[in-house]
Amino acid sequence: METEKPGALRYPPRLNQAESDDLVQAVKNWALAHGLTIRPQPSVVSDDVDPQGLLAINVPVTLFPSPFPRQCFDQARSVQQTYNELYAAISRDEEFLAGAVDEVRDGDEFTSNLWDVHLRVKKEGYTQNLSLGLFRSDYLVHQDLPGNEPQIKQVEFNTIAASFGGLSAQTTLLHKFLSTSEYPLLQQSITPESLVLPENDSARGLAAGMRAAFDAYGDSELGHERCILFVVQDGERNVFDQRHLEYALNDTLDPIRVFRIPFSQLLDHTSIAQTPKRQLLYHLPRNRSKTFEASVVYLRAGYGPSDYPDQRAWEARYHLERSAAIKCPTVLTQVAGTKKVQQLLATPRSDADADADGPSILGRFIPDPDDAPLSAQVWRTFSNIYPMDTSEAGRKARQVALDPELCLHYVLKPQREGGGNNHYREDIPVFLEKTPESHWGAYILMELITPPKQENIILRNGKLEEGGVICELGIYGTCVWNQSTGELLRNEEAGYLLRTKGDTSNEGGVAAGYGCMDSCALV
């Protein structure tokens, strides 16, 4: 069954040239005025044209909010707090995570190196028991056959650098503005009453999670003013998304000082106090006499191998991990977000244990789905995911992955975050044939999710792209927990993200140039 569209007429409406021109101008002006922006890619504006990095353009965005099934939207929101609790519990289970790392170690040096950072700090002794999670659980609407009820299926769970919370809130506001100012004036008029646009305060929701961790840290015993450090990539293009979170932390009766520091400069501008607690001290580069104590470190870098070009980068991550700052995320929480963990959680009870009556792997962390309604709702969001190891299930998955017909229904995923890392359909056997078989266990094989067909118009780099689209919903969550006791100090849902891409594109990353920002029109 195709998703019902807002209103009785064609959606999105067919625009004449004048309407298209006016709507594009309205979007560009609003986006630039409200920070719905991104630094342009070099292919759009070269460094020679803008050597000082002065320019910004509107982020790729849809002209209209995309229809999204209300029941799927509500389902995704209703399980987020359970997902927060789940991943907090996983991060505390060192034995389970060690086993997951061992299964991918041969083909995934990056995850192995992360785990080695944890082992180094564990040997020395952790000084900070509190952890902060700014999570995002991503879903596609799955409709296997026309006429069947749509349902959400999880694409992945993000535990590090879960981006676009700042821009998502602005995109919702953009579409609400257009619904009252522009859509009613079209020849095929769309009235504000015909669009159900849910509220979305993702920027403030994520900032509230950081605020909770900042407060839980307590006052500085060294007498320093405290701060939050945003650790970012060099040449970050998605800077405005991050800035919205910073501004939300500042726009309160009790503002929090926020500093941005490139990952590559951590060892230059931070030090660890020579105390048992090992406080993390930030020395302001423009005035070294100013020293701040970092209560919270928010990582928007460090999630992929390219952020670690040399051993010094790994020393910087160790430097953070051994400090007293509350990390978002810790190494353990980052490892909990790997695709291998996602695959293990989705393993059915009968395959999870030699004793079929024992708990599922999911049941190791939250009440087993057979016993708890919320756990059952989480279970229903899982897709079919298989290991690529030498187990019986792994050998069967390898046969599927190498079959030129069967592979057309699957995606092969490494233990990576960010767009551009996956291998789809007919590319899977080609990739595996070029990859040493000893490395195959570092991947998981996931059944492709089949979203319903719909259309929209995307404004990207000043040009319109019209046609079929696929929408991916992300639900944000914030969680602060005690790594030793398991106590949850905060567990909240924190808004949503809708990313949309052309239906012929496999990847969906906005900053990577694949997808665009969107918002939901519930139907």
Side-chain angles (χ1 to χ4, degrees):
M1 181 180 74
E2 283 197 16
T3 306
E4 181 186 352
K5 307 298 191 296
L9 301 175
R10 183 184 188 275
Y11 189 91
R14 198 175 301 279
L15 304 175
N16 60 43
Q17 191 61 54
E19 290 176 327
S20 177
D21 292 344
D22 285 350
L23 194 51
V24 165
Q25 197 61 38
V27 169
K28 290 193 294 187
N29 288 340
W30 193 98
L32 291 172
H34 293 82
L36 185 55
T37 48
I38 195 168
R39 297 288 187 199
Q41 291 180 321
S43 59
V44 178
V45 179
S46 70
D47 292 339
D48 292 338
V49 174
D50 185 26
Q52 302 301 319
L54 299 176
L55 299 181
I57 60 174
N58 66 273
V59 72
V61 65
T62 57
L63 293 193
F64 298 89
S66 287
F68 199 91
R70 183 195 296 268
Q71 67 190 57
C72 293
F73 184 81
D74 291 342
Q75 180 189 0
R77 291 186 61 195
S78 69
V79 297
Q80 186 58 42
Q81 287 179 290
T82 306
Y83 262 119
N84 295 344
E85 178 185 351
L86 169 62
Y87 274 84
I90 293 170
S91 77
R92 298 180 57 242
D93 194 328
E94 184 186 16
E95 179 186 11
F96 171 76
L97 290 175
V101 171
D102 283 343
E103 291 194 38
V104 303
R105 187 179 292 276
D106 286 344
D108 191 347
E109 183 181 6
F110 174 70
T111 301
S112 297
N113 287 340
L114 277 177
W115 191 251
D116 289 343
V117 170
H118 158 66
L119 294 179
R120 286 179 68 187
V121 179
K122 179 186 177 185
K123 185 176 181 179
E124 183 181 19
Y126 279 92
T127 65
Q128 179 57 261
N129 288 325
L130 298 181
S131 291
L132 167 63
L134 300 187
F135 299 141
R136 196 186 72 223
S137 187
D138 292 337
Y139 307 93
L140 287 172
V141 174
H142 181 64
Q143 190 172 33
D144 50 3
L145 294 172
N148 287 0
E149 283 294 315
Q151 54 186 316
I152 57 163
K153 292 294 181 181
Q154 188 183 65
V155 177
E156 63 183 358
F157 192 90
N158 301 275
T159 62
I160 182 169
S163 59
F164 294 113
L167 296 185
S168 180
Q170 297 306 103
T171 304
T172 301
L173 293 176
L174 165 67
H175 285 146
K176 287 191 174 184
F177 166 76
L178 296 175
S179 73
T180 58
S181 67
E182 299 295 330
Y183 301 159
L185 304 180
L186 300 175
Q187 288 189 18
Q188 184 188 317
S189 178
I190 302 174
T191 63
E193 298 77 26
S194 66
L195 293 173
V196 180
L197 306 179
E199 296 294 326
N200 183 21
D201 208 359
S202 49
R204 292 194 177 278
L206 293 171
M210 284 190 268
R211 160 71 71 174
F214 182 86
D215 291 343
Y217 181 93
D219 295 333
S220 170
E221 295 181 3
L222 303 178
H224 296 300
E225 181 181 348
R226 294 186 298 130
C227 70
I228 294 178
L229 285 185
F230 281 28
V231 179
V232 302
Q233 293 176 321
D234 289 286
E236 176 64 72
R237 294 178 49 248
N238 194 27
V239 58
F240 304 104
D241 174 51
Q242 301 164 11
R243 288 288 190 180
H244 282 299
L245 304 188
E246 175 185 341
Y247 300 152
L249 287 165
N250 186 264
D251 187 22
T252 65
L253 294 176
D254 185 18
I256 295 177
R257 181 88 66 180
V258 174
F259 295 106
R260 295 169 57 83
I261 181 171
F263 188 62
S264 63
Q265 297 178 21
L266 272 170
L267 295 180
D268 299 324
H269 303 305
T270 66
S271 65
I272 292 181
Q274 299 301 307
T275 67
K277 286 192 174 181
R278 301 198 295 267
Q279 291 93 336
L280 182 66
L281 305 179
Y282 173 69
H283 310 287
L284 190 64
R286 61 180 178 266
N287 184 353
R288 298 287 292 187
S289 67
K290 298 285 187 180
T291 297
F292 300 83
E293 184 172 335
S295 298
V296 177
V297 173
Y298 172 46
L299 286 167
R300 288 292 290 257
Y303 54 82
S306 62
D307 286 328
Y308 301 85
D310 50 34
Q311 186 56 36
R312 191 172 189 270
W314 285 108
E315 288 301 315
R317 186 62 186 273
Y318 167 67
H319 174 79
L320 289 181
E321 195 70 11
R322 68 187 291 265
S323 77
I326 298 175
K327 273 74 68 178
C328 179
T330 62
V331 164
L332 289 173
T333 306
Q334 183 173 350
V335 172
T338 58
K339 303 302 182 291
K340 184 63 185 179
V341 169
Q342 184 185 7
Q343 177 258 307
L344 290 170
L345 293 175
T347 302
R349 180 196 295 264
S350 59
D351 297 332
D353 197 284
D355 177 9
D357 294 328
S360 65
I361 292 177
L362 178 64
R364 177 173 178 149
F365 305 105
I366 58 177
D368 221 21
D370 291 344
D371 306 319
L374 282 176
S375 298
Q377 289 183 39
V378 168
W379 183 265
R380 283 194 288 272
T381 68
F382 290 166
S383 296
N384 292 323
I385 311 175
Y386 307 98
M388 285 290 289
D389 54 24
T390 56
S391 65
E392 181 180 354
R395 290 194 300 270
K396 290 180 180 178
R398 291 181 176 198
Q399 291 177 348
V400 170
L402 292 170
D403 188 289
E405 295 297 327
L406 297 177
C407 72
L408 299 178
H409 304 286
Y410 292 87
V411 53
L412 187 74
K413 294 185 174 184
Q415 314 302 311
R416 289 289 88 81
E417 298 298 332
N421 296 302
N422 301 330
H423 302 275
Y424 291 82
R425 303 180 179 89
E426 66 272 7
D427 292 338
I428 297 174
V430 176
F431 171 77
L432 289 175
E433 289 166 5
K434 297 177 181 178
T435 304
E437 192 170 343
S438 60
H439 292 183
W440 290 6
Y443 294 80
I444 57 99
L445 189 70
M446 183 174 180
E447 194 171 290
L448 285 169
I449 303 167
T450 309
K453 294 181 179 180
Q454 57 187 54
E455 294 185 347
N456 210 326
I457 306 170
I458 297 172
L459 175 62
R460 188 193 313 279
N461 298 329
K463 299 179 181 179
L464 293 180
E465 305 167 6
E466 185 171 2
V469 296
I470 294 172
C471 301
E472 183 173 314
L473 177 70
I475 302 295
Y476 294 104
T478 64
C479 193
V480 180
W481 69 96
N482 188 304
Q483 195 73 9
S484 296
T485 66
E487 178 189 4
L488 294 178
L489 282 70
R490 180 184 178 85
N491 181 9
E492 299 291 340
E493 184 235 309
Y496 83 90
L497 162 71
L498 193 69
R499 287 177 297 176
T500 292
K501 62 184 180 181
D503 58 9
T504 59
S505 172
N506 288 322
E507 300 290 354
V510 177
Y514 303 107
C516 75
M517 300 298 297
D518 197 351
S519 66
C520 293
L522 299 182
V523 293

